[in-house]
Amino acid sequence: MPAPLFCWACGHPVEIVSAAVGRQDRCENCQRDLHVCKNCKWYEPGLRNDCREPMTERILDREAANFCHFFVPFEGKRADLTSGEVAKSKAKLDALFSKLK
């Protein structure tokens, strides 16, 4: 059984009828596009083109549906990159490393 797919924007579990996430598939909860960089397993902010797949074309809007042929749905929930969770984690790491100085 494949891992569940969750919307990158709201975290709502998504049922995909076909075998793949299509460019026009949307989250039934928030109506955001699902075939987007932020919902792909290769998405990695900070890397070239924010992607671990080196052959991808440049995509400007990571939250809009695209035609990327390397798209593979991310399995599980992503941490909300806009939430305070990333900032909290960074603050904990900064505190830890400041003690080592």
Side-chain angles (χ1 to χ4, degrees):
M1 180 172 172
L5 174 65
F6 295 90
C7 175
W8 65 271
C10 71
H12 185 72
V14 178
E15 291 253 351
I16 299 297
V17 179
S18 65
V21 177
R23 185 176 183 280
Q24 295 181 343
D25 286 333
R26 292 179 174 262
C27 173
E28 63 187 33
N29 185 57
C30 69
Q31 296 304 307
R32 301 295 296 266
D33 294 326
L34 294 173
H35 194 286
V36 302
C37 294
K38 286 189 173 183
N39 215 34
C40 180
K41 84 174 201 172
W42 303 119
Y43 178 65
E44 180 91 25
L47 292 182
R48 182 194 153 279
N49 200 24
D50 291 337
C51 187
R52 286 185 279 139
E53 173 53 59
M55 301 298 290
T56 58
E57 294 182 27
R58 185 164 185 233
I59 295 174
L60 298 177
D61 189 350
R62 307 277 179 234
E63 298 177 2
N66 59 57
F67 291 102
C68 181
H69 298 291
F70 296 101
F71 178 85
V72 176
F74 182 78
E75 294 180 357
K77 288 188 178 182
R78 281 203 188 274
D80 182 5
L81 300 176
T82 60
S83 74
E85 295 302 313
V86 173
K88 288 178 192 175
S89 297
K90 186 176 182 319
K92 287 179 183 178
L93 285 171
D94 290 343
L96 175 67
F97 286 108
S98 68
K99 291 178 184 179
L100 298 175
K101 290 182 181 180

